[in-house]
Amino acid sequence: MSAQKGQAKADRPGKQRDAFFDNAKYLAIVLVAMGHAWEPLKGDSRILEGVYTVVYCFHMPAFIIVSGFFSRGFDMRPDRLKRLITGVVVPYVLFETAYPLFKNLITGSHEEISLLDPWYLTWFLVALFVWRLTTPIWKLVRSPLAVALGIAMLASVTPNIGDDLDLQRVLQFLPYFVLGLCMKPEHFQLVRRRSVRIAAVPVFAVALAVGWWAVPRMNTAWFYHRDSAQELGAPWWCGPVMTLAMMGCSLVLTACFFSWVPGRRTWFTALGAGTLYGYLLHGFLVKFADYRGLFDHAWLHHPLGEILVTALAGAAVTLLCTRPVQRVFRFAMEPRMEWAFRQDAAELARERQQKERERVSA
């Protein structure tokens, strides 16, 4: 009986997850929430804006690289396309609708709903849909990373791409996703060596110093990757140069970040499975505070206030990644929509085989 219980536990999907990646996703999403909470405050603190700049240099690249790594097996199989629709497209439609309605409710404004103009955080869902849908192409071409980098460089000098589906971000962040597709587990092992962890200390120290120095000298909008060089008031040739320079800096800091991520199970490892919940839901809290003018209190613009806001942002997104929150909002994030799809014969056969294996193991 004990052997059967042990086998049953081993067969549970949660037991197959790699703690390192769940830890990395959780820590990255905490940095995302903190960064959003810093935005209304950073204008009054050069130190905070310098930290903000450094965090924005690597937190989304790290998250996107991990997303690409776990998209390596994506193909056009019906069951995977269904998961793409239910796990990405449906949440995009729901939250792209919910955010403007939330603003209208809180502020009394008349914000229009547009599925073509991603609002606030929802751009990532559009990007993930496009990136994952094109995965078979990146697995086919000879030099996928070079091609993706070339596309990102061209996008940075093409202002007429426009705002539809936030394609500037989709294309400019594309190389990080493709890099994740090209990576293997041993590549992550390389950056988790003790020597890299030690080297990460002076690297981050230098990055923070450079970030502080760059505050009055550099437009922070470069880190958002949502505008072309011309739209940022720079010569066209700055687009490709900044694309290469920022990717180099981002990869160095991302490697340092990964080197510090624990590889063992910790108290927050299980939260890594709920990072999409934390990502999409924390925006309502940040926007509510912004709409209500909570960030306007003068004491929040001093060091103690900034520390409090940082702690509250970290605690809030942590709570939003927990299992109870996942159960409440699963209808929006991971809806079961069997009624919307035709049954695929191959998928039915796989389900029967899975049930048979579970019956035998029990």
Side-chain angles (χ1 to χ4, degrees):
M1 180 63 72
S2 60
Q4 290 177 349
K5 289 183 179 179
Q7 181 62 41
K9 290 181 180 178
D11 289 337
R12 293 175 188 169
K15 293 296 180 181
Q16 305 303 317
R17 301 181 68 95
D18 189 318
F20 168 78
F21 292 107
D22 278 336
N23 293 338
K25 289 194 296 181
Y26 166 76
L27 293 173
I29 213 66
V30 167
L31 291 174
V32 169
M34 289 178 175
H36 289 150
W38 291 338
E39 285 180 8
L41 308 176
K42 63 184 179 66
D44 296 322
S45 171
R46 184 171 177 176
I47 293 177
L48 183 62
E49 188 158 2
V51 175
Y52 175 91
T53 299
V54 172
V55 168
Y56 262 73
C57 191
F58 74 88
H59 71 342
M60 283 310 295
F63 202 78
I64 294 169
I65 288 172
V66 172
S67 298
F69 180 76
F70 281 101
S71 298
R72 293 172 302 158
F74 182 84
D75 53 28
M76 295 300 178
R77 217 171 68 184
D79 60 323
R80 288 174 177 154
L81 288 173
K82 290 176 185 177
R83 284 198 295 272
L84 183 64
I85 292 172
T86 58
V88 178
V89 176
V90 172
Y92 172 73
V93 173
L94 293 177
F95 280 86
E96 182 67 8
T97 302
Y99 269 116
L101 292 178
F102 178 75
K103 180 179 181 180
N104 295 342
L105 177 65
I106 301 299
T107 66
S109 60
H110 301 281
E111 186 85 18
E112 294 183 352
I113 297 172
S114 172
L115 296 181
L116 293 180
D117 187 12
W119 209 84
Y120 195 37
L121 304 174
T122 56
W123 72 269
F124 180 72
L125 295 177
V126 174
L128 188 59
F129 176 77
V130 173
W131 296 335
R132 193 164 286 171
L133 202 60
T134 59
T135 293
I137 297 175
W138 302 115
K139 293 162 67 175
L140 179 67
V141 299
R142 188 182 297 274
S143 303
L145 185 56
V147 173
L149 190 55
I151 291 173
M153 293 167 67
L154 288 174
S156 70
V157 297
T158 314
N160 58 0
I161 286 179
D163 296 327
D164 288 351
L165 298 179
D166 223 343
L167 284 179
Q168 277 288 0
R169 272 179 167 168
V170 174
L171 298 178
Q172 291 194 37
F173 275 116
L174 174 63
Y176 300 101
F177 181 82
V178 175
L179 176 61
L181 288 176
C182 297
M183 293 183 70
K184 298 178 181 179
E186 50 265 33
H187 294 139
F188 290 96
Q189 292 293 338
L190 287 175
V191 300
R192 293 165 60 189
R193 293 177 298 178
R194 185 171 181 270
S195 58
V196 180
R197 288 197 297 271
I198 295 173
V201 176
V203 169
F204 267 115
V206 171
L208 290 170
V210 172
W212 181 86
W213 173 85
V215 166
R217 298 175 174 86
M218 182 178 177
N219 188 346
T220 309
W222 283 106
F223 294 95
Y224 303 147
H225 296 285
R226 65 186 178 200
D227 299 296
S228 65
Q230 296 93 321
E231 291 172 303
L232 294 176
W236 70 268
W237 55 265
C238 285
V241 171
M242 287 297 290
T243 298
L244 291 173
M246 294 191 66
M247 186 168 186
C249 294
S250 296
L251 292 182
V252 170
L253 293 180
T254 299
C256 293
F257 168 72
F258 283 146
S259 73
W260 286 350
V261 173
R264 65 187 184 282
R265 291 194 64 82
T266 67
W267 64 269
F268 56 78
T269 300
L271 301 177
T275 50
L276 185 61
Y277 291 79
Y279 177 77
L280 290 174
L281 293 173
H282 86 273
F284 290 104
L285 301 180
V286 174
K287 285 300 182 182
F288 178 82
D290 188 25
Y291 297 151
R292 289 300 189 185
L294 301 182
F295 290 113
D296 295 336
H297 293 289
W299 65 274
L300 289 179
H301 295 254
H302 296 286
L304 288 179
E306 293 163 359
I307 292 172
L308 176 62
V309 169
T310 302
L312 289 175
V317 77
T318 297
L319 179 64
L320 294 175
C321 292
T322 58
R323 293 285 178 84
V325 174
Q326 291 180 45
R327 284 195 292 269
V328 172
F329 290 96
R330 185 163 285 124
F331 75 94
M333 308 286 196
E334 303 172 87
R336 298 181 63 85
M337 298 177 58
E338 289 85 354
W339 54 269
F341 303 106
R342 296 177 180 177
Q343 289 292 323
D344 177 63
E347 184 179 355
L348 288 173
R350 283 192 294 271
E351 290 178 356
R352 284 196 297 269
Q353 290 175 358
Q354 178 64 26
K355 290 179 180 178
E356 181 63 22
R357 284 195 295 268
E358 292 176 354
R359 186 186 66 80
V360 172
S361 63

